[in-house]
Structure formats: C-alpha cells, structure tokens
Amino acid sequence: MTRQSIPESALSAAVPPRQRLPPEVRTVQILDAALVEFSERGFAATRMEDIARRCGLSKGGLCAHFAGKDEVFEALLTRSLTPPGWDAMPALAEGAGASALAQWLVDKLYSSLGRPEAVATLRLLVAESARVPHLIALWERNVVQPHMALLGGILRAHAVQKGVAPSVIVQEPWLVIAPVVHALLSHLVFGGAHAKGLDHYRQGHVALLCELLDPRSRIAATPPSQEPTPQAK
C-alpha cells in the first residue's frame, strides 16, 4: 500500500518548539506526531527520534512518556479507534421506537470513527496489520472486546424492554459497527471517486438497525399483499 501523507487540514505537520507542557497535552502531541511519521515512513522505518523531533521533544523526553514504538502504536490505536462510550446512552422516551436507538447508535459511531485522525489511523491499521499482529491482537482484546460486550448488553436490554425476540445483533454486536467500517474503508479506497457519500451510508445504516432491533416495525409498515383477482370465466 502506498504511503500517504496526512492532510494539513487534519493534522499539523509543523514541528513545534520545545516547551514544558502537562502530560495529557504532551501525549496528544506525541500521538499526533506518531500518526504522521507512521503514515509517511511506515511503522518499521519510523524511529523514536523521528517522533520526538516531530513533536519538539528529545528522544529522552519522548521515552519518559512511551518506552518504545510498540507502546506508541498501541496508544494510537486506543485513542483513535476506540468505539464510542455506549454507557452514555440517553434514556429513551416512553414509547420510543427502534429508530431512536438506531439513530443514536449511528450518530455515535460516525462522530467517533469518522474523525480525520480516526480515518488516518484506520488507513495505518490496514497498512501495518501484518507487521504488528501482536499489537493488533492486544488492542482487540483490551479495547474492542470490552466495548462489544457493553454494546451487546445495551441491545439485549432494549429487546427485553420492547418485548421483542433478540435478533442476531445481540449475539453478534460487531454487526452494529460493520456498516460504518465498510463505509470508511470504501472512502479510503475510492476517495472522491466513490459515488456514494457517507450520508448515504448513514441512512442505510439506520434503516438496517431499525429492522434488526425490531423486525415488527418493517412488517407493520409493509402493506398486505393483495389477493389475486379471480379470472372471469
């Protein structure tokens, strides 16, 4: 895969002057710099010195925050590709249908995973997954699996509340996230040449979740088939 530079509008490539900053601010700078360096050079070719220089630190200063490239890469995945906080779901109004939950889920996913740094990290993940499988496995175990378990609990509670039989997404909650990953990968592969924008995917995503959350809503909206007209003898 051809290395691609991160757009200036998404992340600043300018090297900042060295200054003392709070650890949480410095960590953001380090990860921003690492994303640029990994994307331009590749994980294997990037040195800690490159990341340090990009964010205005000495190598020793960088190592005070991260012991090595593996830790930086893992932190980058955790920051940029962590699913949204499902526990922040607002209480749904009495009688609210599946569409309210579906819209909330889709809005959360696109606001979290559609950010420029998340898209750039997804591109990096695709490019480097074969080179750092241990880091991908660690991120999947420590970040993705707990979020999927939490999402599955929310979907199960919704099914109980609405009195509907749990659909496949309760047992396989990753299916809730799959459409947005497909949309983002299509955007990465086809770019501006892709005929369908993200808004199109969002609408389809909401419609899909509505059917999976409560199949009765589709059945109720489907007009009954008309009886065939008897043929005149």
Side-chain angles (χ1 to χ4, degrees):
M1 181 174 290
T2 304
R3 302 293 171 196
Q4 299 187 35
S5 299
I6 307 301
E8 291 290 338
S9 58
L11 296 170
S12 174
V15 178
R18 293 186 183 181
Q19 53 183 315
R20 186 177 298 276
L21 294 171
E24 61 274 13
V25 176
R26 182 62 77 185
T27 298
V28 171
Q29 284 191 347
I30 292 171
L31 296 181
D32 285 347
L35 180 54
V36 174
E37 294 294 331
F38 288 151
S39 298
E40 291 184 350
R41 301 172 184 267
F43 178 81
T46 298
R47 305 169 302 167
M48 288 290 277
E49 294 94 324
D50 300 323
I51 300 172
R53 182 172 58 254
R54 173 77 65 174
C55 61
L57 283 174
S58 65
K59 182 180 178 181
L62 174 59
C63 290
H65 295 271
F66 296 98
K69 285 195 303 181
D70 281 11
E71 283 192 9
V72 175
F73 194 92
E74 181 189 353
L76 186 59
L77 291 181
T78 300
R79 182 191 73 164
S80 299
L81 295 180
T82 295
W86 304 119
D87 55 344
M89 184 182 73
L92 297 179
E94 185 68 25
S99 60
L101 178 57
Q103 189 66 60
W104 180 80
L105 289 170
V106 171
D107 288 346
K108 291 286 285 186
L109 284 168
Y110 276 83
S111 64
S112 174
L113 300 179
R115 294 171 293 117
E117 61 268 28
V119 175
T121 305
L122 180 61
R123 180 187 292 115
L124 178 64
L125 177 65
V126 172
E128 301 291 349
S129 58
R131 298 180 181 88
V132 288
H134 60 296
L135 297 179
I136 306 301
L138 190 64
W139 164 68
E140 198 271 340
R141 183 176 66 249
N142 294 341
V143 177
V144 177
Q145 288 184 9
H147 277 78
M148 292 300 99
L150 181 58
L151 177 57
I154 290 174
L155 299 172
R156 187 174 297 105
H158 176 269
V160 171
Q161 178 189 3
K162 298 300 180 182
V164 298
S167 73
V168 64
I169 58 172
V170 175
Q171 286 75 38
E172 304 290 348
W174 60 268
L175 290 170
V176 175
I177 297 180
V180 70
V181 175
H182 169 76
L184 295 176
L185 286 175
S186 296
H187 180 70
L188 287 177
V189 172
F190 298 108
H194 197 36
K196 298 178 180 178
L198 291 182
D199 284 342
H200 174 87
Y201 282 110
R202 290 180 71 136
Q203 295 169 15
H205 197 167
V206 171
L208 173 66
L209 292 185
C210 284
E211 292 202 20
L212 291 175
L213 288 168
D214 189 357
R216 299 173 307 180
S217 61
R218 178 179 61 83
I219 296 172
T222 302
S225 58
Q226 296 182 350
E227 294 293 331
T229 304
Q231 295 292 326
K233 294 184 179 181

